[in-house]
Amino acid sequence: MNEANNIIMNRDTTGMGGEDTGKSTAEIRLERKQKLAAALRLFGKFGFDEGLAGHVTVRDPEHQDRFWVNPLGRSFKQMRVSDLLLVNHSGEVVAGDGLLNGAAFTIHSRIHMAHPRITAAAHSHSLYGKAWASLGRLLDPITQDACAFYEDHVLFDDFTGVVLDTSEGERIASALGDHKAAILQNHGLLTVGETVDEAAWWFITMERSCQAQLLAEAAGKPKLIKPEFAAKTRDTVGSTLAGWFSFQPLYDVIVAEQPDLLD
């Protein structure tokens, strides 16, 4: 086992890729909500917020037909665990005070309903993500980081306006399939994962990959990584473990900088 794998194996990876049998449901719920609030703070820190747009969700560990989400009108930069809303698949706010974002419900409820494998999903109108989405193209394997999405993201090219109709949420969920991410044409990026950590990291690195390709194509014609090497690289940097683990330093930093997010 190499040094990198040793580092991963020696770190507490509870909750990765499924329920942690060593913790109670209440403990798992709290951890998911803490990670969700932290992810939203990080999105705010990185400038992924755009007015009222953007939402990150995580499935409740006890009630599989419910998910936690940020309330409409609360800044990512000020999000706290106590601000989060618990919403069921009928669009009812079961716990928490605040307004439910209609697009958040329409998109995320259908994703969670259609894909039991997905615990968390992230979407916002980040600058480079929406710029790239306007091109109606998938990302190319031009960097090691972009290889995380090689043959593991889709293009949803059926934009019909603000997503307030559940039928469009269903089409997005169907287009996503078994992939980790979707480029919503003329809209932005959407990423998913087995944990909040994973979904948030895929969004952060996908946004940066969009930025890198836009910069590279502005300067010239990028050289593509060969398919066999892109696939091999994806299996390393694009795994569930890699997604979860890549988020941990960011979580540690944001909690140290802004401990009030944990209430």
Side-chain angles (χ1 to χ4, degrees), residues 50 67 73 102 107 115 154 163 213 218 231 238:
E50 180 82 10
F67 58 88
I107 296 173
H115 302 290
V154 299
V163 185
Q213 186 154 356

Side-chain angles (χ1 to χ4, degrees), residues 102-167:
F105 167 71
T106 301
I107 296 173
H108 291 259
S109 66
R110 269 42 196 176
I111 288 174
H112 287 298
M113 289 171 68
H115 302 290
R117 69 180 178 89
I118 294 174
T119 300
H123 167 68
S124 81
H125 297 181
S126 53
L127 178 59
Y128 297 104
K130 63 185 177 183
W132 181 260
S134 72
L135 302 178
R137 294 169 52 194
L138 294 175
L139 285 167
D140 292 322
I142 64 171
T143 66
Q144 175 176 299
D145 298 317
C147 286
F149 303 99
Y150 180 69
E151 295 185 335
D152 199 15
H153 70 300
V154 299
L155 174 67
F156 179 75
D157 60 358
D158 189 20
F159 179 78
T160 57
V162 179
V163 185
L164 298 176
D165 189 324
T166 55
S167 65

Side-chain angles (χ1 to χ4, degrees), residues 28-78:
I28 295 172
R29 177 181 293 115
L30 177 59
E31 181 178 345
R32 290 185 180 186
K33 292 171 67 178
Q34 290 174 336
K35 291 294 181 69
L36 178 55
L40 289 158
R41 287 284 183 109
L42 285 164
F43 278 28
K45 181 176 181 178
F46 295 152
F48 297 167
D49 47 347
E50 180 82 10
L52 302 178
H55 18 86
V56 185
T57 59
V58 63
R59 194 188 300 271
D60 186 79
E62 180 179 7
H63 306 283
Q64 294 297 295
D65 62 340
R66 300 177 184 179
F67 58 88
W68 295 90
V69 63
N70 53 297
L72 180 69
R74 178 71 171 170
S75 172
F76 287 2
K77 298 180 179 71
Q78 297 178 314

Side-chain angles (χ1 to χ4, degrees), residues 3-4 30 55 66 115 190 210-211 245:
E3 181 179 357
L30 177 59
H55 18 86
R66 300 177 184 179
H115 302 290
L190 171 73
C210 290
Q211 181 181 7
F245 195 65

